[in-house]
Amino acid sequence: IGTAAELCWFSDYVRTEKMSACAVLTSDIDLSGVKWTPIGEEYYTRYVGTFDGAGHSISGLNYDEKYSEYAGLFGYLGSGGTVKNLSVESGYVATGNVNSRAGGVCAMNYGGTVENCSFIGSVSAPGTGTRAGGVCGENYGGTVKNCYSSAAVTGADSGGVCGRNTGKVQNCYWLDTAYTGSGIGRDEGSSESVEAKTADEFASGEVTWLLNGMQKDGPWYQTLGSDAYPTLDSTHGKVVQNFGGVGGGFDCEI
C-alpha cells in the first residue's frame, strides 16, 4: 500500500471481504482531506491480520464522528491481529459517543498486538464511560509495547498511552506536556516501564534508546539536534549511549 486511495480501499476490503487481510506500507501516506473509515470499524468487522507500517508514516488523519464506537486509524483490533512499525503524525481522532473507545493508533485492542508505533496529535472521547489513549483507547487482554505518544487526550478513562488496560503495556512513553495525567487511565492488567518524558528527554535520544531496548540496533532512529522525536525512518541516525562526561548522554551514528 503506497497511496491514500489504496489505504482507503484496504479499510473497505477488511470491512466487506476479509478481516484477516495483511498489508505492508511502501511509502509515507497523507490522509489530509480524506474521509476516513477505521480499519476494523467494529467488532463484527474486527481486524485480525498483520499491518506492517515498515517504518513509514501516516499523516493528516482526521476522524471526527459523533456516533462512532471505535475511533482511530484502527477501530477494533481482534485476537491475533497486529499493527507494527507505524508512525501516525498530525492526527485528530474524536468521537462523542457514550461508552466509546478512541486511540491514536487503535481504539480497541482485544487480544492483539500493537508494537513499535507512535502517535502525534490529539484524541478526544469526552462522553461518560469512554476510554481514550494516545496510542490505544482500551487494551483488553492484548499487548502494547515499544510505543510512544505526544497527544492531548480527553476521556472518562484517559491515559497518555492507554485509557484502560487489562492486558500488557510495556516500554511505552508519552510527552508530559501534551498529556499531564498518567500513562494508563485505568490499569487492571500488567504494565512495565510506562513513563512520562519531557520534551528534552525526547529530543536527547533517551526515549529512542529505551524504545530500542537500550541498544543501538533497533527499529527506532533519531538524528540528534534536528529530530524532536524518535522516528522509524532508517535514513535518520542510530542512537548510541555515551558514557563519557558528567552524567553521560547520547550520540547518534549517521
Side-chain angles (χ1 to χ4, degrees), residues 107-248:
M108 167 65 90
N109 177 22
Y110 195 102
T113 300
V114 179
E115 61 179 320
N116 298 324
C117 292
S118 65
F119 179 80
I120 297 175
S122 65
V123 177
S124 178
T128 58
T130 59
R131 286 88 188 245
V135 176
C136 180
E138 180 167 1
N139 181 47
Y140 193 90
T143 298
V144 179
K145 61 182 180 181
N146 307 334
C147 297
Y148 79 85
S149 163
S150 173
V153 184
T154 303
D157 290 325
S158 60
V161 178
C162 282
R164 183 191 181 202
N165 171 49
T166 63
K168 296 180 180 180
V169 181
Q170 301 170 323
N171 196 34
C172 292
Y173 307 90
W174 79 98
L175 179 63
D176 63 352
T177 53
Y179 180 74
T180 58
S182 62
I184 301 171
R186 191 199 306 183
D187 193 359
E188 301 165 312
S190 169
S191 59
E192 181 180 357
S193 299
V194 181
E195 302 173 5
K197 295 295 181 181
T198 67
D200 286 344
E201 288 170 329
F202 268 96
S204 72
E206 177 181 338
V207 175
T208 300
W209 178 254
L210 293 171
L211 289 170
N212 281 333
M214 295 185 288
Q215 58 182 1
K216 77 171 184 178
D217 293 320
W220 294 97
Y221 299 83
Q222 187 173 9
T223 301
L224 303 185
S226 60
D227 292 338
Y229 298 102
T231 176
L232 292 162
D233 184 345
S234 61
T235 64
H236 294 239
K238 289 185 176 184
V239 172
V240 296
Q241 190 163 23
N242 175 12
F243 293 100
V246 178

Side-chain angles (χ1 to χ4, degrees), residues 15 19 38-47 69-70 75-78:
R15 181 175 59 85
M19 298 185 296
I39 300 170
E41 189 175 14
E42 58 171 345
Y43 171 78
Y44 294 104
T45 58
R46 61 196 179 277
Y47 184 60
E69 188 174 358
Y70 301 103
Y76 200 115
L77 184 65

